[in-house]
């Protein structure tokens, strides 16, 4: 299944999504209105190529995502899906139980801006996982 968007970009021999960190900060104390154990925040821009995907993954901390251009289709480990268009924002919950894949179904790039709330400075933004069966 060469074009299966749920497989990782590397497995499909296509360009990887490009992520650019825009800013980073240390959380001093707590973030009002956000209950989490984050000590670091990273703001990133990710561009997913046409018909590309993020590959299956989860986040070690919650992520606030804004879709700046295009449409993102999420598939979750339980088989449910949702689609989010440009101008919308949403929160991706943390932990392996919230594993998902993001797919760009369009013939043009998908642009996302994300605020990652990370447990510590060494935390990855995302942890790759195998596709659930």
């Amino acid at each position: 299944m060469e074009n299966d968007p749920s497989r990782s970009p590397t497995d499909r021999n296509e360009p990887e999504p490009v992520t650019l960190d825009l800013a980073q900060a240390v959380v001093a104390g707590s973030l009002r209105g956000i209950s989490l154990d984050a000590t670091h925040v990273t703001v990133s821009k990710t561009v997913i190529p046409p018909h590309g995907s993020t590959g299956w993954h989860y986040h070690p901390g919650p992520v606030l995502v804004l879709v700046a251009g295009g449409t993102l289709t999420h598939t979750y480990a339980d088989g449910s899906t949702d689609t989010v268009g440009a101008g919308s924002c949403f929160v991706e919950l943390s932990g392996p139980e919230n594993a998902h894949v993001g797919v760009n179904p369009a013939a043009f790039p998908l642009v996302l801006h994300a605020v990652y709330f990370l447990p510590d400075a060494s935390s990855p933004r995302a942890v790759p996982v195998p596709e659930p069966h």
Side-chain angles (χ1 to χ4, degrees), residues 12 14-15 47-53 103-110:
R12 294 191 318 273
E14 65 182 40
V47 178
I48 300 176
H51 307 292
S53 83
V103 175
N104 176 6
F108 49 87
L110 166 65

Side-chain angles (χ1 to χ4, degrees), residues 4-16:
D4 181 356
S6 65
R7 294 176 57 214
S8 76
T10 304
D11 292 342
R12 294 191 318 273
N13 295 320
E14 65 182 40
E16 295 275 342

Side-chain angles (χ1 to χ4, degrees), residues 83-133:
T83 301
V84 185
S88 299
C89 69
F90 60 94
V91 173
E92 291 183 336
L93 301 176
S94 63
E97 66 278 12
N98 293 302
H100 58 277
V101 62
V103 175
N104 176 6
F108 49 87
L110 166 65
V111 180
L112 306 171
H113 296 283
V115 180
Y116 295 84
F117 297 94
L118 303 170
D120 59 60
S122 65
S123 296
R125 287 186 301 269
V127 178
V129 296
E131 179 180 351
H133 296 284

